[in-house]
Amino acid sequence: MLSNAGCPKTMLSIQDALEAVEGRWKLLILFALSEKPKRFKQLSREVNGITDKTLSKELKSLEANELIRREVYDTFPPTVEYSITTHGLSLEKVLDELHFWGLAHRHKIMGK
Amino acid sequence: MLSNAGCPKTMLSIQDALEAVEGRWKLLILFALSEKPKRFKQLSREVNGITDKTLSKELKSLEANELIRREVYDTFPPTVEYSITTHGLSLEKVLDELHFWGLAHRHKIMGK
C-alpha cells in the first residue's frame, strides 16, 4: 500500500507535479540539461523523437515553471543556451525513481 | 547534477517509464486505486476533473501495461472493480517523490 494511499491532499500535490512536468517530453529535456547547458539544436538531437515545434513549446513551458533558464549571449550572431535551474534539479529523485522503474517495466512488459 | 546526467541509456529508461504512465491522469488513477479496489463511478468522483471517456481510455491503457486489473463479479447486475497490481504498486517511490516535489513546487511557483 502506498503511503497516504488515496488521500485527497496527497493527490493534489501529485496533480500539481504532473501538471508542471506533463507529457512525455519535459522530464527528458530536463534530464538532458542536467548534464550541462545546451543549445536548441543539441537538445533536438539528444531528445529522441521530439520535433522542433514541440521542443520549442516545451522549453517555453519549462521556463514559465522556472525549471529551466534561457540565456542569450552577446555574440555575433547571438547564442542562445538553455540551462536547468535549482528548482529543475530538485526533480532529481523523481527522475531517478522513473529511471529505476523504467528499467523494471521494460524487463517485465517488453521482456527485454 | 543528476546521477548519470544526460546518459542515453538512462534517458531510454525514463522514456519507457513516461510512456507507461504518460499524461496527467494515469498516476492519479493508480494513486486512487492504491487505497483499495474501486468501481468506475468511484474513480470518476475521486480523480478531480477527469471525464468518463478519458477515464475509460486510461483504464484500458493501464490494464494493457499490467498496472491494474479489471475484475467482473458474477452478481446481478454484474459488478466491475479495478484494482492495482503488484507492478502498479511498484510505482510507489515515483508517486512519493512526485508528491514531495509537488508540495515544494506549489510553494515556490504558486506561493501557496
Side-chain angles (χ1 to χ4, degrees):
Chain A
M1 198 58 62
L2 305 194
S3 40
N4 312 315
C7 156
K9 271 202 171 172
T10 305
M11 178 135 16
L12 190 66
S13 291
I14 297 174
Q15 199 157 20
D16 284 344
L18 290 175
E19 272 169 32
V21 298
E22 195 196 359
R24 62 171 74 188
W25 300 116
K26 293 193 184 69
L27 286 170
L28 293 176
I29 297 168
L30 288 173
F31 182 69
L33 289 178
S34 72
E35 190 192 7
K36 60 179 185 194
K38 286 173 186 172
R39 298 181 60 175
F40 188 93
K41 275 289 156 206
Q42 204 172 350
L43 283 171
S44 163
R45 267 196 309 275
E46 288 183 17
V47 179
N48 276 333
I50 199 165
T51 62
D52 282 1
K53 191 179 162 193
T54 304
L55 178 56
S56 167
K57 189 175 64 82
E58 297 291 34
L59 287 170
K60 282 197 185 92
S61 159
L62 287 169
E63 204 189 344
N65 274 303
E66 297 181 29
L67 296 166
I68 65 165
R69 203 179 298 113
R70 179 179 184 275
E71 266 156 321
V72 184
Y73 293 99
D74 186 16
T75 51
F76 185 81
T79 319
V80 180
E81 242 184 20
Y82 297 90
S83 57
I84 194 164
T85 61
T86 315
H87 187 46
L89 274 176
S90 71
L91 277 160
E92 173 175 13
K93 285 183 182 164
V94 172
L95 284 168
D96 275 349
E97 292 304 339
L98 278 171
H99 165 209
F100 299 139
W101 190 83
L103 279 175
H105 180 65
R106 172 167 284 248
H107 189 75
K108 183 174 172 67
I109 302 295
M110 311 187 193
K112 286 180 200 168
Chain B
M1 199 58 62
L2 304 194
S3 39
N4 311 316
C7 157
K9 270 202 170 172
T10 306
M11 178 138 9
L12 190 66
S13 291
I14 297 175
Q15 200 157 19
D16 285 343
L18 290 176
E19 272 169 33
V21 299
E22 195 196 359
R24 62 172 72 189
W25 301 115
K26 293 193 184 70
L27 286 170
L28 293 176
I29 297 168
L30 289 174
F31 181 70
L33 288 178
S34 71
E35 190 192 6
K36 60 178 186 195
K38 285 173 187 171
R39 298 181 60 175
F40 189 92
K41 275 290 156 207
Q42 205 172 350
L43 282 172
S44 163
R45 267 195 310 274
E46 289 183 15
V47 180
N48 275 333
I50 198 166
T51 62
D52 283 0
K53 192 180 162 193
T54 304
L55 178 56
S56 167
K57 188 174 64 84
E58 297 290 34
L59 287 170
K60 283 197 185 91
S61 159
L62 287 169
E63 205 189 344
N65 273 304
E66 296 180 29
L67 295 166
I68 65 166
R69 203 179 296 112
R70 180 180 184 274
E71 266 157 320
V72 184
Y73 293 99
D74 186 17
T75 52
F76 184 81
T79 319
V80 179
E81 243 184 19
Y82 297 90
S83 57
I84 194 164
T85 60
T86 315
H87 187 46
L89 275 176
S90 72
L91 277 160
E92 172 174 14
K93 285 184 183 165
V94 172
L95 284 167
D96 275 349
E97 293 303 338
L98 278 171
H99 165 210
F100 299 140
W101 191 83
L103 279 175
H105 180 65
R106 172 167 284 246
H107 189 76
K108 183 174 172 69
I109 301 296
M110 311 185 191
K112 284 181 201 166

